[in-house]
Amino acid sequence: MTDELPALGVLMFVAHRSIERRVMARLADAGADDITLAQSRVVQRLAPEPMRLTDLAEQAGVTKQTAGGIVDQLEAAGYLVRVPDPSDRRARLVTLSDRGVELCEIAAQEVEAVEREWRDHLGADDYAALEKSLIRLREITDPYR
């Protein structure tokens, strides 16, 4: 066994998964125990305004068919709705339902709680440096910024 630390990407993944687990547990506590991690990853990609399924699939990193199936499930569960596309009468856009908006607010509150815990653990200066560095990395890693 070696004393080497995991690669930076692994460390970032561990932190991300910790937030995901906390958010999913909080959603379950709020009565959304029927939403899966895959579904939550699609929901969190929804912009405040309605969006096309193809754009949602691209941002979630899944096929249009997979996104369509997940959207069908989320719509049936009452978390999403499809609305007419004002620019194309034949097309439909995907957006959050009132319940979906409520769940996103609950998730955001839990993320804020985790971030407060991290700030308390790391100290304000180290937390600010971490945040600043990750924001800078986003310049070269996030195609949707």
Side-chain angles (χ1 to χ4, degrees):
M1 192 163 147
T2 138
D3 289 336
E4 279 187 44
L5 288 175
L8 183 61
V10 172
L11 294 171
M12 291 179 356
F13 178 74
V14 168
H16 174 76
R17 287 303 300 260
S18 174
I19 289 177
E20 274 187 335
R21 281 191 300 278
R22 288 268 304 265
V23 167
M24 294 303 291
R26 179 66 186 91
L27 293 178
D29 290 345
D33 57 353
D34 58 339
I35 193 166
T36 68
L37 189 54
Q39 291 170 335
S40 75
R41 288 176 180 161
V42 168
V43 168
Q44 66 184 313
R45 299 297 186 287
L46 284 171
E49 63 279 342
M51 64 191 308
R52 291 181 180 266
L53 182 64
T54 52
D55 295 333
L56 182 58
E58 180 184 341
Q59 289 188 28
V62 298
T63 66
K64 184 179 174 187
Q65 292 76 16
T66 298
I70 291 172
V71 166
D72 288 343
Q73 295 165 357
L74 290 166
E75 185 177 32
Y79 299 117
L80 302 180
V81 293
R82 287 185 170 99
V83 296
D85 183 342
S87 66
D88 182 352
R89 293 185 319 178
R90 300 165 297 162
R92 308 277 286 165
L93 301 175
V94 179
T95 192
L96 294 169
S97 67
D98 291 342
R99 178 69 173 142
V101 169
E102 179 184 331
L103 289 182
C104 286
E105 290 169 356
I106 291 167
Q109 290 169 2
E110 189 62 28
V111 169
E112 287 174 13
V114 170
E115 289 177 355
R116 276 192 307 274
E117 289 174 18
W118 289 3
R119 192 176 297 106
D120 290 346
H121 179 76
L122 295 174
D125 290 343
D126 284 351
Y127 183 87
L130 173 64
E131 184 177 44
K132 182 178 179 181
S133 295
L134 291 173
I135 289 169
R136 286 189 56 215
L137 274 176
R138 189 173 179 208
E139 296 169 5
I140 62 171
T141 60
D142 185 355
Y144 304 108
R145 61 180 166 85

